[in-house]
Amino acid sequence: MAKTFHLEIIAADRVFYQGECEHLVITAIDGLMGILPGHEPLVTCLPTGELKYMTNGVWHYAAISEGFIQVLPDKSVILADSCELPEEIDIKRAEEAKERAQEQLRQKQSIKEYYQTQAALNRAMNRLKISQKHFK
Ligand code: ATP
């Protein structure tokens, strides 16, 4: 059995990662999912959360916004709105986005606006969490 599989992480504005990977762990809707070479095919959606992938024995962490993943035995492809390494996260920007969303949630909003604001709050909180956890 191969020791690696090909991983592509495509964000809306850039190719975040393209290369070999030994192990991928995603946060799926029902919890953490580990993917190793030879995994059975599947497609699932990815909520805003954390992912980590191992290359050459080293784990790399990232904050990901909503997307999808296709898993095949020799390849996984992630398409997501955004993806950042912990060290790329601008903490001040995320704090401002969090405060902005919290303020909007105190105002009267349509259902659509409410869901958009809640999603923005999730993205900001996720960025803050991953930056604090992995960027020392
Ligand atoms: P903001 O309101 O600050 O723009 P957002 O959650 O609406 O935040 P997104 O639409 O998710 O932003 O992302 C737009 C682009 O900005 C993406 O390229 C994303 O990687 C980047 N980005 C957003 N917030 C941050 C941040 N705090 N640090 C670094 N990059 C960020």
Side-chain angles (χ1 to χ4, degrees), residues 33-91:
M33 180 189 290
I35 294 151
L36 291 164
H39 198 287
E40 64 180 26
L42 69 89
V43 171
T44 189
C45 57
L46 293 179
T48 294
E50 177 176 336
L51 67 74
K52 63 177 183 176
Y53 57 98
M54 183 186 279
T55 62
N56 299 316
V58 178
W59 282 110
H60 305 276
Y61 299 86
I64 189 162
S65 300
E66 289 177 27
F68 295 90
I69 181 169
Q70 178 196 37
V71 178
L72 294 167
D74 61 348
K75 180 178 178 177
S76 286
V77 181
I78 291 173
L79 291 175
D81 284 337
S82 69
C83 191
E84 298 107 32
L85 293 168
E87 58 268 33
E88 290 177 324
I89 293 171
D90 179 336
I91 294 172

Side-chain angles (χ1 to χ4, degrees), residues 6-134:
H6 189 74
L7 174 64
E8 289 178 20
I9 304 175
I10 317 288
D13 57 351
R14 62 175 168 161
V15 176
F16 176 84
Y17 179 75
Q18 206 166 26
E20 291 304 295
C21 164
E22 290 133 52
H23 193 173
L24 168 68
V25 178
I26 56 166
T27 313
I29 31 179
D30 50 356
L32 294 180
M33 180 189 290
I35 294 151
L36 291 164
H39 198 287
E40 64 180 26
L42 69 89
V43 171
T44 189
C45 57
L46 293 179
T48 294
E50 177 176 336
L51 67 74
K52 63 177 183 176
Y53 57 98
M54 183 186 279
T55 62
N56 299 316
V58 178
W59 282 110
H60 305 276
Y61 299 86
I64 189 162
S65 300
E66 289 177 27
F68 295 90
I69 181 169
Q70 178 196 37
V71 178
L72 294 167
D74 61 348
K75 180 178 178 177
S76 286
V77 181
I78 291 173
L79 291 175
D81 284 337
S82 69
C83 191
E84 298 107 32
L85 293 168
E87 58 268 33
E88 290 177 324
I89 293 171
D90 179 336
I91 294 172
K92 185 167 177 290
R93 177 174 169 180
E95 277 170 350
E96 286 170 359
K98 178 183 159 190
E99 281 164 25
R100 209 165 43 245
Q102 286 174 329
E103 178 54 35
Q104 282 166 357
L105 287 173
R106 285 191 277 272
Q107 313 294 323
K108 191 167 166 46
Q109 293 185 302
S110 66
I111 293 287
K112 184 179 170 193
E113 287 166 339
Y114 171 79
Y115 284 126
Q116 286 171 341
T117 308
Q118 195 64 57
L121 181 59
N122 285 345
R123 292 194 298 275
M125 305 259 287
N126 185 49
R127 287 179 175 122
L128 291 170
K129 187 182 89 182
I130 289 171
S131 159
Q132 281 156 10
K133 202 164 139 192
H134 300 296

